[in-house]
Amino acid sequence: MAPTILIVGATGNTGRAVTETLPGLLKASKSFSNHRIIGLTRSLASPPAQQLAKIPGVEIIEQNWTEITSDWLREHEVVRAFIASHNAPNQFAEESAFHVAALQAGVEYVVRISTTAANVRPDYPAYYPRSHWAIEALLGSAEFSALKWTSLQPNVFSTFYVAVIAEYIKQYKQTGELGPLKLMASKDAPVAPIDPNEVGVFAARLLALDDPTPHSGAKYVLNGPEDITGEQLVGLVEKHIGTKVTDVSYQDLSMLDALLASGFGGPGQSKAVMNSTRYAVLTMWEGKCDASTTSKEVLEIAAPKRTPTEVLEDLLKA
């Protein structure tokens, strides 16, 4: 075997770009040219897993990351790792178990995905930002001093933020009917959504650094390069359909309500805990998630470039 960089969630929103970007960076590095990359997936039969498995230097394996132990990490000679955890209520229990195993196995460096920076605090009303805060507090404790780590705090993903207007435009072009346009965005607050691929590229660059020590313990804020308001989202719709949208609902959480009603998070969950997800958007509505909050290290290493307009164009082609 050879020293390994592990990618947990290789086929996910951010993990896919890590998996696609990292091989080229390692190949060009004198320090890591002999390292291998293992990406984890829930199903080797999935199209994304099959596509990633074709990349030279990448091995995709079917493994539930919540079952990974320190022995597993030693057996696979894992020295660095990327993890994009789920955000179910048991996130802290499962992700902290992974980090404890990494510490015990002597893993050198971990890059993890957190959530919107303005929300990551111990008193935030939505449950999952508190879990991210707790994971960062755990990693920052003296007991974890042997494990280098960086936590990435990305803004809302542009592929999700713009998806609703992409579907509205497609529906209008199919039917010619103007239905109600329901936006989670507020009318006036600027938000800089980020392409999840650009989060993955930044993570890959951190993982390929000869010495990640300057970034150890850092919590980096990642936004897209351009702010957009709800009113400007409506403007994009009108530009594509060539007419005015007459029925717009801002700060609309009906899509989130439908997700929660569908049983998101699995059976047996507290309704109060799950419904607290509704509070996650408050900081966006308050104007606390704009491009100006991006960490300077992000701009220096891999500045995000994809605008909401560019993401929308891609979604309309899909």
Side-chain angles (χ1 to χ4, degrees):
M1 281 194 185
T4 299
I5 298 180
L6 177 67
I7 302 174
V8 173
T11 59
N13 284 327
T14 54
R16 191 176 308 186
V18 178
T19 312
E20 292 170 341
T21 305
L22 195 54
L25 297 175
L26 299 191
K27 187 176 180 180
S29 168
K30 292 181 180 179
S31 302
F32 298 104
S33 57
N34 69 327
H35 284 49
R36 63 178 186 152
I37 299 168
I38 289 180
L40 302 188
T41 181
R42 284 175 290 185
S43 172
L44 288 171
S46 70
Q50 293 181 351
Q51 184 179 12
L52 292 174
K54 296 177 183 178
I55 301 174
V58 173
E59 178 184 0
I60 301 295
I61 65 174
E62 204 169 275
Q63 168 69 44
N64 185 342
W65 70 268
T66 64
E67 303 298 327
I68 286 177
T69 63
S70 56
D71 288 340
W72 190 97
L73 294 169
R74 291 190 195 96
E75 178 186 346
H76 290 82
E77 298 186 39
V78 175
V79 294
R80 295 188 177 188
F82 167 86
I83 178 169
S85 176
H86 60 73
N87 63 353
N90 62 338
Q91 176 199 341
F92 178 81
E94 294 190 332
E95 188 180 344
S96 65
F98 176 85
H99 294 304
V100 169
L103 178 67
Q104 294 174 340
V107 173
E108 300 167 0
Y109 181 48
V110 172
V111 176
R112 67 176 299 273
I113 298 296
S114 180
T115 190
T116 307
N119 298 359
V120 184
R121 60 184 209 235
D123 64 338
Y124 200 76
Y127 76 88
Y128 67 89
R130 298 196 301 269
S131 294
H132 284 293
W133 173 86
I135 289 290
E136 292 172 352
L138 174 142
L139 291 171
S141 67
E143 290 82 356
F144 273 80
S145 60
L147 177 64
K148 298 181 179 69
W149 60 278
T150 306
S151 192
L152 308 186
Q153 300 177 331
N155 202 344
V156 62
F157 292 149
S158 53
T159 45
F160 171 76
Y161 204 64
V162 177
V164 64
I165 67 170
E167 289 305 310
Y168 188 92
I169 292 167
K170 289 180 180 180
Q171 188 68 22
Y172 176 81
K173 290 185 176 181
Q174 288 175 357
T175 66
E177 297 179 0
L178 282 174
L181 176 56
K182 300 178 179 181
L183 296 177
M184 189 177 295
S186 72
K187 182 178 180 180
D188 300 316
V191 175
I194 185 166
D195 186 328
N197 288 325
E198 295 191 308
V199 178
V201 169
F202 180 69
R205 291 195 173 276
L206 291 178
L207 288 165
L209 290 172
D210 284 348
D211 180 14
T213 303
H215 305 281
S216 183
K219 291 169 276 190
Y220 291 142
V221 181
L222 295 95
N223 299 293
E226 183 178 287
D227 294 329
I228 192 165
T229 65
E231 190 170 37
Q232 288 170 324
L233 287 172
V234 175
L236 287 178
V237 172
E238 293 174 342
K239 178 181 177 181
H240 277 274
I241 67 176
T243 189
K244 286 284 185 182
V245 180
T246 56
D247 185 1
V248 181
S249 176
Y250 296 104
Q251 297 182 202
D252 188 291
L253 298 181
S254 56
M255 183 171 65
L256 178 59
D257 289 339
L259 177 64
L260 292 170
S262 71
F264 170 74
Q269 303 293 348
S270 160
K271 287 185 178 180
V273 170
M274 297 309 302
N275 286 337
S276 73
T277 306
R278 295 170 55 87
Y279 297 110
V281 296
L282 292 180
T283 51
M284 290 195 294
W285 295 347
E286 293 166 352
K288 296 178 180 178
C289 303
D290 64 0
S292 69
T293 62
T294 302
S295 297
K296 65 179 181 62
E297 292 84 356
V298 175
L299 300 176
E300 293 166 355
I301 294 173
K305 298 177 181 178
R306 299 255 297 156
T307 67
T309 301
E310 292 171 326
V311 172
L312 175 61
E313 294 295 340
D314 285 347
L315 290 177
L316 292 175
K317 294 173 186 176

